[in-house]
Amino acid sequence: MLHDLVTSVQSILADDFVGSYLHGSFALGEYDIHSDVDFLVAVEREGDEAQLAALQAMHGRIYDLDSHWAKHLEGSYFPKGTLRRYDQASEPLHYLDNTSRELIRSKHDDTLVVRWVVRECGVVLAGPAPDELIDPISADDLRMEVLSTMRDWGQEIFANPDQMSNRWYQPFAVLSYCRMLQTLHTGRVESKPAAVRWAKDALDSRWAGLIQRAWDERPNPSMKVKQPADPNELKSTLEFIEYALAASGQYAYKRP
């Protein structure tokens, strides 16, 4: 499936193709059948209308392949200049969401976290080594972005807790705050399983059960997004996010 994806993208983009990389679980390790296939394509420039139409058709064709992974591709097309360093003013990228067959415009992957994972751990599918395309990202810059994400997302959740009231979002929030706290502490991005192990050991022990249950809920996300969250788990998750936000300063400045 990845060979089909990359050779098709190369054919469509021709000289505008720079490279293709895996990030996320397949780069960080400890992926499983429930993981997304996170990809990044570096391009010389944004494609024209004909190239975009061809990419849209190609992603629809890939989605229809007889492959579990073809339904779980997620990634973005980065112009080379945008990829090199983060710029808040950059335009949204062409982005394929997990379980989708169509590119949309989104800044979902336009983060230091994604750039760091690609640069430090990315799997090269085609093209140059990623450190030739992405400037170094300091641990403190990574921490600053993660701390901002924790606070902004927390505000959004507390303003509308109902958005989290399904069996996908609620455990996803728990695991995400574990990962973000770990990044504040280490200045690195680790896999979800590594973050779960770290959080159960490093955080207050009263959260260990919630964290383990969140991990156990990972299977069948497309089904669980339609199922209501347990009210007690939702309440505990909101309390855990409050705890994580309160602890964020400690973990941002307490070095391993």
Side-chain angles (χ1 to χ4, degrees):
M1 186 272 293
L2 287 173
H3 176 75
D4 191 345
L5 173 71
V6 174
T7 55
S8 297
V9 171
Q10 287 175 312
S11 176
I12 291 166
L13 296 180
D15 291 342
D16 287 326
F17 177 86
V18 174
S20 182
Y21 309 89
L22 291 182
H23 59 99
S25 302
F26 283 88
L28 294 169
E30 300 190 278
Y31 57 86
D32 61 23
I33 194 65
H34 308 297
S35 300
D36 303 341
V37 184
D38 294 294
F39 72 93
L40 183 150
V41 175
V43 299
E44 287 288 347
R45 59 181 179 83
E46 272 214 345
D48 57 28
E49 288 186 9
Q51 287 175 322
L52 179 58
L55 289 173
Q56 293 283 23
M58 179 272 295
H59 279 295
R61 179 183 63 77
I62 295 282
Y63 184 91
D64 289 335
L65 293 175
D66 184 18
S67 165
H68 163 81
W69 300 111
K71 313 290 190 290
H72 296 284
L73 280 167
E74 180 172 328
S76 294
Y77 290 78
F78 274 82
K80 194 164 67 172
T82 301
L83 179 60
R84 180 157 297 281
R85 64 182 61 85
Y86 175 72
D87 180 355
Q88 193 171 11
S90 63
E91 293 296 314
L93 306 167
H94 292 299
Y95 166 71
L96 183 74
D97 199 2
N98 182 27
T99 73
S100 177
R101 59 188 298 130
E102 184 175 341
L103 293 167
I104 61 171
R105 286 284 194 174
S106 173
K107 293 180 75 72
H108 182 278
D109 289 336
D110 191 9
T111 65
L112 290 178
V113 166
V114 166
R115 287 174 174 83
W116 187 94
V117 174
V118 174
R119 189 180 195 278
E120 302 300 329
C121 310
V123 177
V124 179
L125 301 176
D131 62 2
E132 296 179 28
L133 301 176
I134 304 171
D135 288 346
I137 298 162
S138 73
D140 283 341
D141 284 346
L142 196 61
R143 288 183 175 102
M144 286 176 62
E145 179 180 86
V146 166
L147 189 58
S148 176
T149 299
M150 289 180 71
R151 291 170 175 170
D152 291 347
W153 191 16
Q155 271 191 322
E156 180 186 319
I157 287 172
F158 287 114
N160 179 22
D162 287 346
Q163 68 182 294
M164 199 171 61
S165 189
N166 65 68
R167 287 180 61 198
W168 172 80
Y169 199 138
Q170 174 267 315
F172 172 74
V174 172
L175 299 178
S176 296
Y177 272 89
C178 289
R179 292 185 83 186
M180 290 187 287
L181 281 175
Q182 185 187 35
T183 295
L184 292 183
H185 182 51
T186 64
R188 298 178 55 82
V189 182
E190 305 288 351
S191 68
K192 289 186 182 77
V196 166
R197 291 191 294 270
W198 173 84
K200 288 169 66 177
D201 179 64
L203 305 183
D204 191 306
S205 60
R206 66 189 160 123
W207 304 114
L210 177 70
I211 294 166
Q212 184 60 52
R213 291 192 299 275
W215 178 252
D216 293 341
E217 281 280 22
R218 286 186 71 244
N220 303 315
S222 59
M223 176 184 70
K224 287 177 177 170
V225 74
K226 302 172 185 176
Q227 299 174 346
D230 180 283
N232 291 325
E233 291 290 84
L234 185 59
K235 179 176 181 291
S236 294
T237 300
L238 292 170
E239 291 170 352
F240 176 67
I241 293 172
E242 286 183 334
Y243 162 85
L245 291 171
S248 60
Q250 169 194 348
Y251 284 101
Y253 302 107
K254 176 185 172 185
R255 301 295 186 255

